[in-house]
Every structure is written in structure tokens, then in C-alpha cells.
Amino acid sequence: MNRRNFIKHSSFFAATSSLAFAAQSCSPPAKEEALPSGKSKTIGTKSTFIGIPGEKKIKIIEMNANFEREPLIRPFGFKGGEMKEIWQTAALLGSENGYRKFGICTQNVLWSDPAVFEVHSESAGNALMYNITTRALQMIEGETFSNPVQLQEDILDELWEYGKKITGNPDLKETFILNALVGIDNAAWLLYCAENGIDNFDDMVPVAYRPCLSNHHNKVACIPLMAYNIPVQEIKDTVDAGYFFMKIKIGQAGTQEEMVEKDMKRLSEIHAAIGNARTSYTESGKLPYYFDANGRYEKKETMLRFLDHAKKNRCIRSNCDYRRAVRRRKNV
């Protein structure tokens, strides 16, 4: 089985990794404990988070990692940059009870911190992120944890400082560290389930999060991602194949003026090709456009200029109060 087919049949892996990101923003404040002079911090002394009642202590006695470089058929452009390859990584964790689980991760330096991407070659940036992964494995080997949320919280701050040093960036974004931890987090959740006899997603969800993660959808929609250099004809072919929700990357390379001019031109070309398409999955029957700027628009005025162009060309509904919606947001 090749890697892509493996990932296709491993949706549970991806689902488990999402919980740590929810935990990062929703978990209760960590309890700080004073450590004896000269003693180093050990896993489990900082976080007081509890996942499920009676969860077991898990000791990690084995760890390993590897990666695969995946060249892209064509460059993938977003955030004003362009990726030419993706590093796919895997992390293995083994417990003293004999369970061995591995998690997978797709590295994305440009997404997690464009500043790192800009000052390093693409391979160097990926190597730095993979270095964070291997450093984290070194930190947790031989340690004991109660749940993956606590495991991540107890190493995150120290790992972040390490990341700042090796990248030479004191303002390194936390997302760079979190991206590097996805595979480990994935493996930790699978190990956690094995140790606690959990065989389904709902029972794995920490009690504190169950009210907001209890809904079960009976349908899902696939949202194609249209990067800067996806040919318009290919976008039209995608719509003709039945896809109805277009995620369109904006924020192209160049100055803010060059960026918005390119984005307006690109939107006009796309809308000319698919603007008359219809679908039964929306109330209006029209295709929704999802504009993904990835933080590239520095001023709201620039974004409003883009949206005014969209309205003028009937790319968005005329009765949509988009200007007020943009002004409500702190960041574009």
C-alpha cells in the first residue's frame, strides 16, 4: 500500500490529532509546581488536565521517527510563497506494556511560519521542523504521561524556546512547533486508546470537550483548494465533476498593490469560467466562494478593495453586508 492510499484509509489517525489543537486553546490553566534546586522538569509536573476518568499512566520506553520527501507535480502557491515539495513524517511511540503506535504528519513550513520559509531554503526549513520533532521525542523518552493533552502541554514551552534557538528567530510562531508535534500527538492518542481499552472516537474525547464534539454529521463536503497556479480550466473541470464549494487562495506574491491587482484579475478569470454553474447543495443554487488570504492582506482597506471588485463583477451577492463583516474583525 502506498503512502497516499494508507492515509486515505487512516482517517481515524487524522481525527485524533485534531483534539490536541482543541486542547491547546480550551484546556484549563496549567498548575505550576516548584522544582527542587538543580532538578530538571519531568513530564507530568505542569499540567493538571484530565482526559477520561481512571485514565492510566503511560510510560514511553521506545521512540523513533522518519520522513519522506514528496516532490509536488507543480509548485503549490499560497501566503505569497510557493512550495515545491512536502516532507511527510512519521513518529513511533512504544509503551512499557508492549503497545507500539505511530502517527503521521504533513510538514508545512510556509503555513506555520512564513518568516522561517523566507530565510531558508525549502529543504532547510523542513529539516528545522523535523529537528523539532526529533527533539520532542528525546524529551519524552523514558517519561510517563496521563493523556496526550498533558503530554503536549508539559513540553511545549521548552520546545518552543529550543525552536527559537535553532531557527535563529526569537519571534518564531507557536504553529511551527505544533506542526512539528502532529505526528507525535497522533501516536500518543493511539497509544492512549490502546492503554485505556478505547476503540472508538467518542470514548476517546476528553470529558471536558464532549459537549462540543458530540454532534455526528451524516454528510461531508469536499472543498477543493485552488492555489494561485491551478489553471482556470482545471477549476472548471472540477466544478463539472460535481464539486460545488471552491476554496480560492488569494494574497499572491509581491507588494500589497501587486497582490490585490493579481487577486482581482484571478477572481475575474475564475468567475467567468464557473460563475454560471449551479448546485442543489446551496439555498441560492450558486457556488460558494471561500477566499483564503492566509494573513497576506495587511490592511482592511485592501481587503475591501478586493471585495468591492468581487461585488462589481457579481462574484458575491449584492445584498451581503460584507463591508461591515470585515470591519468587525480584528485581523483580515
Side-chain angles (χ1 to χ4, degrees):
M1 181 182 291
N2 64 33
R3 185 190 57 78
R4 287 203 176 277
N5 285 335
F6 172 76
I7 293 175
K8 181 179 179 181
H9 292 87
S10 304
S11 57
F12 179 72
F13 289 3
T16 57
S17 291
S18 65
L19 285 177
F21 288 97
Q24 182 63 27
S25 59
C26 303
S27 58
K31 179 181 178 182
E32 297 287 351
E33 296 184 10
L35 297 175
S37 178
K39 297 291 185 180
S40 61
K41 186 182 75 173
T42 57
I43 301 301
T45 61
K46 180 180 177 182
S47 173
T48 58
F49 183 87
I50 297 175
I52 60 174
E55 59 190 6
K56 298 179 180 179
K57 295 286 186 179
I58 304 169
K59 185 173 182 179
I60 300 172
I61 62 169
E62 181 185 5
M63 59 84 179
N64 208 335
N66 210 332
F67 67 93
E68 174 185 282
R69 297 174 66 169
E70 179 184 4
L72 298 177
I73 297 174
R74 62 185 167 212
F76 182 79
F78 71 107
K79 277 200 173 185
E82 197 174 71
M83 295 168 50
K84 296 181 176 63
E85 70 172 13
I86 296 175
W87 281 29
Q88 310 285 0
T89 71
L92 177 129
L93 296 179
S95 71
E96 65 178 352
N97 289 329
Y99 294 105
R100 301 172 81 244
K101 301 293 179 180
F102 71 91
I104 52 180
C105 165
T106 297
Q107 292 193 168
N108 197 318
V109 177
L110 176 56
W111 172 83
S112 61
D113 195 328
V116 177
F117 187 86
E118 290 171 5
V119 299
H120 295 90
S121 68
E122 192 167 358
S123 58
N126 274 298
L128 287 168
M129 183 175 284
Y130 184 67
N131 189 310
I132 300 293
T133 302
T134 56
R135 174 60 178 164
L137 287 171
Q138 291 171 346
M139 292 171 65
I140 65 178
E141 185 180 21
E143 302 292 351
T144 300
F145 73 99
S146 298
N147 58 69
V149 176
Q150 170 251 307
L151 176 66
Q152 185 179 101
E153 288 184 345
D154 283 339
I155 66 173
L156 187 59
D157 290 345
E158 183 178 336
L159 201 59
W160 197 356
E161 291 304 313
Y162 175 77
K164 292 176 183 178
K165 291 179 181 178
I166 67 169
T167 60
N169 182 2
D171 299 317
L172 181 69
K173 293 184 181 297
E174 187 178 18
T175 45
F176 190 85
I177 306 302
L178 293 173
N179 193 165
L181 287 174
V182 167
I184 298 174
D185 180 62
N186 194 174
W189 278 107
L190 294 174
L191 198 62
Y192 177 75
C193 289
E195 291 278 358
N196 288 282
I198 299 171
D199 60 6
N200 69 83
F201 184 85
D202 287 344
D203 290 345
M204 177 191 69
V205 177
V207 175
Y209 305 146
R210 288 181 183 177
C212 59
L213 293 175
S214 61
N215 189 48
H216 289 194
H217 297 279
N218 57 16
K219 293 180 180 179
V220 294
C222 181
I223 305 177
L225 177 56
M226 302 306 176
Y228 309 144
N229 55 349
I230 302 295
V232 173
Q233 182 59 48
E234 189 170 319
I235 297 176
K236 185 178 184 304
D237 292 342
T238 301
V239 172
D240 291 343
Y243 296 91
F244 62 91
F245 195 160
M246 299 294 106
K247 182 176 182 180
I248 302 170
K249 287 288 187 182
I250 59 176
Q252 296 187 58
T255 65
Q256 290 289 291
E257 178 64 25
E258 292 169 340
M259 172 194 73
V260 72
E261 289 292 341
K262 291 178 183 177
D263 286 348
M264 291 190 297
K265 182 176 183 292
R266 170 78 165 164
L267 176 59
S268 295
E269 293 171 348
I270 292 174
H271 190 62
I274 66 174
N276 292 324
R278 293 296 180 264
T279 178
S280 61
Y281 295 106
T282 63
E283 291 182 2
S284 67
K286 298 180 180 180
L287 305 187
Y289 293 167
Y290 169 9
F291 300 131
D292 189 0
N294 281 125
R296 275 281 290 156
Y297 278 67
E298 297 174 0
K299 295 181 179 180
K300 292 179 181 178
E301 291 76 15
T302 312
M303 174 58 75
L304 290 171
R305 181 179 165 190
F306 172 79
L307 292 175
D308 281 335
H309 172 81
K311 180 180 178 181
K312 180 180 178 180
N313 288 271
R314 299 182 179 276
C315 302
I316 59 177
R317 292 180 297 175
S318 59
N319 63 345
C320 176
D321 192 4
Y322 63 87
R323 297 180 69 91
R324 182 181 301 170
V326 170
R327 289 195 179 100
R328 284 199 200 106
R329 298 191 58 179
K330 295 181 180 178
N331 299 300
V332 177

